[in-house]
Amino acid sequence: QVQLLESGGGLVQAGGSLRLSCVASGRTFSTYAMGWFRQAPGKEREFVATIRWSDGRTYYADSVKGRFFTFRDIAKNTVDLQMNSLKPEDTAVYYCALGVTFRFNYDYLTQDQYEYWGQGTQVTVSS
C-alpha cells in the first residue's frame, strides 16, 4: 500500500553537500511524520531528523543540528534531507521513514514510531 523511494546518495568530500530525497507512493494521506535515520558500519541505527507533516516542525539530532535540514513538499509528496558541511563521521546508510500513527506522547524520535521504511541510500564522505 505504501512505498518509499530514496535517492541522492553518493560520494562527497568533507565539507561538501548532498540532498537526499524520498518520495512516498500509495495511501499516504494519514502521514503524521517523516523521519531520517542512519546506520554506520558496525554501529546501531540512529535518529537524524524528523518533520511533522501538519505544520513542518522539525527536530534534529545534536550531531547534525545546524548542518542538516529536512523539509517536505506536500504537493509532490516528498521529503528531502539537505546535508551541508559533511564530515567523514556522517558516512552511513540513510533511511527515510513514514509514521502513520498519531499519539499525543509520540515524538517520532525512535524507530518504533515509524511503520514504513525506504530501502536506504549510501552516503560516503571522504577526508
Side-chain angles (χ1 to χ4, degrees), residues 5 7 26 29 40 51 54 62 67 72-73 81 83 92 108:
L5 181 60
S7 62
F29 60 88
I51 182 167
S54 60
D62 289 341
R67 299 187 298 120
R72 76 205 197 285
D73 189 324
L81 181 67
M83 311 165 67
Y108 299 98

Side-chain angles (χ1 to χ4, degrees), residues 45-108:
R45 189 173 300 182
E46 65 176 355
F47 167 79
V48 176
T50 189
I51 182 167
R52 188 162 60 188
W53 210 250
S54 60
D55 59 2
R57 184 176 180 180
T58 57
Y59 188 86
Y60 301 92
D62 289 341
S63 59
V64 306
K65 193 172 298 182
R67 299 187 298 120
F68 291 11
F69 304 91
T70 188
F71 49 93
R72 76 205 197 285
D73 189 324
I74 297 177
K76 297 180 179 179
N77 210 26
T78 59
V79 60
D80 285 12
L81 181 67
Q82 178 65 46
M83 311 165 67
N84 300 319
S85 301
L86 284 162
K87 305 174 181 179
E89 50 263 43
D90 294 320
T91 295
V93 176
Y94 284 72
Y95 300 88
C96 67
L98 168 64
V100 299
T101 300
F102 172 79
R103 292 182 180 177
F104 282 102
N105 63 342
Y106 269 21
D107 55 14
Y108 299 98

